Amino acid sequence: MIAHFDVDAFYASVAQRDDPSLVGQPVAISGTSRRSVVLTASYEARPFGVRSAMPLYKALDLCPQLIVVPPNFPAYQAASQAIFGIFARLGGPVEGLSLDEAFVDLGDVSWEAGAAAVRAVRSAVRAETGLTVSAGLAAGKMVAKIASDSCKPDGFTVVPLGTERVYLAPMPVGRLWGIGPKTQARLLHEAIVTIADVAAIDDARAFAIFGKWGKSIRALAQGIDDRTVDGTRERKSISTESTFEFDIRDEAHIVAVLAEQARELSDDLVAKGLRGSSIGIKAKKADFTIVARQTTLVAATNKSDAIFAAAVACWQRAELAGSPVRLLGTRVAGLTDEPERELSLFG
């Protein structure tokens, strides 16, 4: 039996918790520049059409009274640690998907006991962090996630064993894992609109539409999902990026941004006791094309000067000097918690 937990409007909820004047108000967590994007919108902002990943200027057009709050990542990290500590009390594997979302394996218990455990977690999160969490309980991961997504905010849905196909049947096909907007548009031409439509297709049509993944997607549509909760899943990379209010092409400005990003990533790695062996940069040009470069270090590091040096080397390899850039990001991958080796950095 698997539970899926998801904190409601996490970043916005933390802001409202920490500043009571924001409670009941339309709030967006975002930077303040012209090109900032909304990280999270409170539920009071969503009826106006404000959504995450929306450009801030568009959100303000839709909701002029929107209150824009800058992100507070230390507060999110502290809340996440407390919440995951509560998940761990259930005793089973916990597979974190993000700071505010996780699957938990409840083991071979009765549905009544499983539901009681989920309710206890939701109560504990509210009491200990001041946040609300929605949850879904099912035999498989996908159905558990869909169940929690469908009862937001502050809801709990149980999908008992054997009822998955009926539960999923009327939902739009886009709710299935692996079905993105482009595939959904193509399926419309095949008269496949609901999950029930996918569940009913035969082997030949499943292959014709989805290729080698046809049987797997049809099985998910039928509520069959034997994937287990992976309690060993680790974050494989960390990244940060900056979207500029105006395109920049000044080399000194670019280097200064890379230095600040290196310091931010270094602080994050040190706090987590991690080091990374792969450094990369991503630049989005004025015409929205993306250029990325990366390099591998001989020794994993969490030192800001080493990350910065590698990022600058990647920038130079990208040959973008003089090109207007609207976004710049740095990424550290190949994470490990092993002690640092005293070796030269570049191989």
Side-chain angles (χ1 to χ4, degrees):
M1 188 180 306
I2 295 172
H4 177 265
F5 296 99
D6 194 358
V7 182
D8 301 312
F10 181 46
Y11 293 174
S13 295
V14 170
Q16 290 176 319
R17 178 199 67 182
D18 294 345
D19 183 354
S21 70
L22 299 177
V23 175
Q25 300 297 322
V27 173
I29 306 301
S30 175
T32 57
S33 74
R34 185 169 61 94
R35 287 179 173 168
S36 293
V37 297
V38 174
L39 299 179
T40 307
S42 69
Y43 283 96
E44 294 84 358
R46 297 183 187 190
F48 295 92
V50 180
R51 296 288 185 271
S52 61
M54 173 181 288
L56 180 60
Y57 72 84
K58 183 175 181 181
L60 289 168
D61 286 343
L62 293 170
C63 182
Q65 66 271 43
L66 188 68
I67 300 173
V68 180
V69 178
N72 183 351
F73 290 104
Y76 308 148
Q77 187 69 43
S80 176
Q81 289 175 351
I83 290 166
F84 272 73
I86 295 170
F87 295 161
R89 295 175 196 169
L90 291 171
V94 177
E95 180 180 336
L97 305 180
S98 63
L99 287 175
D100 61 325
E101 183 181 5
F103 289 110
V104 181
D105 189 341
L106 302 184
D108 187 16
V109 299
S110 69
W111 287 93
E112 292 77 10
V118 171
R119 293 189 184 98
V121 165
R122 297 181 67 237
S123 296
V125 170
R126 183 190 295 271
E128 298 177 33
T129 72
L131 303 172
T132 62
V133 60
S134 295
L137 183 64
K141 293 170 77 171
M142 186 193 74
V143 174
K145 178 168 172 54
I146 289 175
S148 68
D149 289 344
S150 299
C151 65
K152 281 184 158 291
D154 197 20
F156 175 32
T157 298
V158 179
V159 184
L161 182 65
T163 68
E164 297 92 347
R165 184 166 181 168
V166 172
Y167 173 73
L168 295 172
M171 295 182 181
V173 69
R175 299 297 298 276
L176 280 176
W177 283 355
I179 305 297
K182 291 183 179 179
T183 302
Q184 193 170 358
R186 182 165 57 84
L187 293 177
L188 184 60
H189 293 289
E190 299 280 348
I192 296 177
V193 179
T194 67
I195 293 180
D197 295 332
V198 178
I201 62 179
D202 59 24
D203 284 352
R205 196 173 184 209
F207 182 80
I209 296 172
F210 301 109
K212 65 180 181 179
W213 304 110
K215 289 185 178 181
S216 297
I217 292 175
R218 184 184 60 192
L220 289 175
Q222 294 171 345
I224 302 168
D225 182 8
D226 59 1
R227 285 169 292 187
T228 60
V229 175
D230 183 2
T232 65
R233 180 173 175 171
E234 297 179 354
R235 193 174 181 185
K236 295 180 173 60
S237 68
I238 63 170
S239 62
T240 184
E241 60 185 37
S242 303
T243 301
F244 307 118
E245 187 167 4
F246 300 98
D247 296 339
I248 65 171
R249 65 177 77 215
D250 178 67
E251 194 80 5
H253 192 169
I254 293 289
V255 171
V257 171
L258 292 176
E260 179 58 34
Q261 291 180 347
R263 285 191 291 269
E264 179 184 339
L265 293 170
S266 173
D267 289 345
D268 196 3
L269 290 166
V270 170
K272 294 179 171 64
L274 298 173
R275 293 175 174 81
S277 59
S278 177
I279 313 296
I281 63 104
K282 176 180 75 174
K284 182 182 291 184
K285 298 167 65 176
D287 62 1
F288 289 88
T289 58
I290 294 176
V291 178
R293 295 290 186 273
Q294 70 177 36
T295 188
T296 300
L297 310 180
V298 174
T301 187
N302 57 15
K303 294 180 179 178
S304 62
D305 57 351
I307 297 170
F308 172 61
V312 170
C314 290
W315 167 258
Q316 292 171 341
R317 284 175 47 218
E319 298 182 344
L320 290 173
S323 299
V325 172
R326 60 185 290 122
L327 177 148
L328 184 65
T330 304
R331 175 175 176 268
V332 181
L335 301 185
T336 179
D337 59 2
E338 295 180 358
E340 187 168 20
R341 295 160 54 198
E342 295 296 331
L343 296 174
S344 60
L345 288 173
F346 293 100

